[in-house]
Amino acid sequence: MAFRSGTDARAPDAACEALSLDIVATPQGVRAALARAAGMLSRADLCPTVQGCIELVLAEALNNVVEHAYSTSEGGRIAVRLDPRGETMLLELRDNGRPMPDLTLPEGQLRPLVGSGDLPEGGFGWYLIRRLAVRVTYRREAGTNVLQIEMPLGRQSKGI
Amino acid sequence: MKFTTRGTEPQVIGVRETRIDSAVAIQFKDTMRETLSPAARRVILDLSEVEFIDSSGLGAIVAAKKSMAPGQQLDLAGLMPMVDKVFRLTRMDTIFALYPTLAEAEADAPPRLAGGTEG
């Protein structure tokens, strides 16, 4: 790849093949997808933290589709693709649920943690995605939500 | 959702599951509510078998803390690297005391029993 440094010749072996899944949009479907993704990622010989972060971000992205895009409908499906691209792993999710409000990705700000009675029990998902990904894009394409998340694979990552 | 519990001061609740995710978050909250001893001032949640937690699982642990009476404290022990990372990234390490092992949690004197002094 163009920006692989000469001194770090042994880039992560992400030469594993891309993985495509078509899952049912339920928490159990998400679990099954994550198990398949973990198998694929373990063949890519990544460091455990990098692999763990990819699994976490994929989980958060899938949970969002189940809980929001398909919150009012049953039987929805999600097409998931994990595609190694040199220095990053592309995660692509396609679903036919409701579009993002205003066709815009949530900012994912972490709310201040004050007192124990008023602690937030949710709203961490987009924060984690944005914190760990190098790039996140969303578009609506003929009734389909297309979410693309690029996760760092190597040592030139965001200091995670 | 399998839990074990022993002792009352501190009460040690062991989560005998490998994942706390959206598939079990509600069950986790319910089981915690049933398991928590109202008599314990300090409760240590042993997470040493938990390999994966997502934001739903994190929210379930926060909900468990919020369900406790004033003066009760919930500490977390045995965090595997990715579980630890999720708590630190979301700054929940400022809300919970995190211990690498259950032994360290048990050896530590209760650092800051809230004792109704909040607010």
Side-chain angles (χ1 to χ4, degrees):
Chain A
M1 291 304 289
F3 42 83
R4 185 168 292 169
S5 87
T7 52
D8 186 17
R10 195 197 159 277
D13 175 20
C16 61
E17 293 191 7
L19 175 71
S20 293
L21 301 169
D22 176 50
I23 66 156
V24 45
T26 62
Q28 289 71 27
V30 171
R31 266 198 178 186
L34 290 172
R36 294 282 304 276
M40 177 262 198
L41 293 169
S42 62
R43 288 192 290 280
D45 194 24
L46 305 169
C47 93
T49 304
V50 168
Q51 176 168 344
C53 289
I54 294 174
E55 290 176 30
L56 175 64
V57 165
L58 182 59
E60 299 298 343
L62 289 169
N63 286 342
N64 280 323
V65 174
V66 174
E67 290 164 21
H68 299 292
Y70 285 127
S71 62
T72 55
S73 56
E74 284 184 18
R77 302 199 71 89
I78 311 171
V80 188
R81 188 172 164 80
L82 284 79
D83 196 354
R85 297 193 168 177
E87 304 293 326
T88 60
M89 176 76 70
L90 176 69
L91 311 179
E92 185 182 86
L93 278 64
R94 289 173 174 262
D95 68 81
N96 299 316
R98 286 182 307 185
M100 291 272 184
D102 302 325
L103 298 179
T104 306
L105 287 173
E107 278 189 42
Q109 300 275 12
L110 203 58
R111 276 186 286 161
L113 305 175
V114 285
S116 68
D118 193 33
L119 287 174
E121 294 171 33
F124 303 110
W126 274 104
Y127 169 77
L128 289 169
I129 293 171
R130 290 200 182 273
R131 174 73 178 72
L132 297 172
V134 288
R135 192 155 173 266
V136 188
T137 62
Y138 166 76
R139 64 179 189 274
R140 182 81 173 172
E141 208 176 79
T144 299
N145 294 313
V146 183
L147 178 67
Q148 292 189 321
I149 302 171
E150 284 180 53
M151 293 296 296
L153 283 177
R155 299 165 191 89
Q156 294 118 335
S157 57
K158 298 170 65 177
I160 50 177
Chain B
M1 177 106 316
K2 263 185 283 178
F3 283 14
T4 56
T5 177
R6 73 173 154 81
T8 48
E9 200 54 71
Q11 182 189 19
V12 178
I13 299 178
V15 181
R16 303 292 168 232
E17 301 280 343
T18 58
R19 303 176 75 85
I20 310 177
D21 60 13
S22 69
V24 296
I26 292 173
Q27 220 187 329
F28 179 92
K29 279 190 254 188
D30 292 344
T31 315
M32 273 296 277
R33 206 167 292 132
E34 291 160 16
T35 311
L36 279 167
S37 161
R41 293 192 69 200
R42 185 185 188 213
V43 178
I44 303 172
L45 190 64
D46 176 15
L47 296 171
S48 57
E49 290 180 25
V50 179
E51 296 163 3
F52 180 87
I53 188 166
D54 66 9
S55 62
S56 314
L58 178 76
I61 292 179
V62 172
K65 177 184 171 64
K66 289 165 71 172
S67 78
M68 293 168 77
Q72 283 192 299
Q73 175 175 325
L74 182 63
D75 293 344
L76 309 179
L79 286 78
M80 287 197 202
M82 273 311 295
V83 177
D84 185 79
K85 194 173 184 64
V86 169
F87 276 87
R88 291 185 194 281
L89 282 172
T90 55
R91 296 186 204 135
M92 282 294 164
D93 55 329
T94 63
I95 302 297
F96 295 96
L98 308 180
Y99 296 90
T101 64
L102 177 59
E104 282 164 272
E106 288 183 300
D108 199 10
R112 48 181 166 78
L113 284 174
T117 57
E118 285 174 72

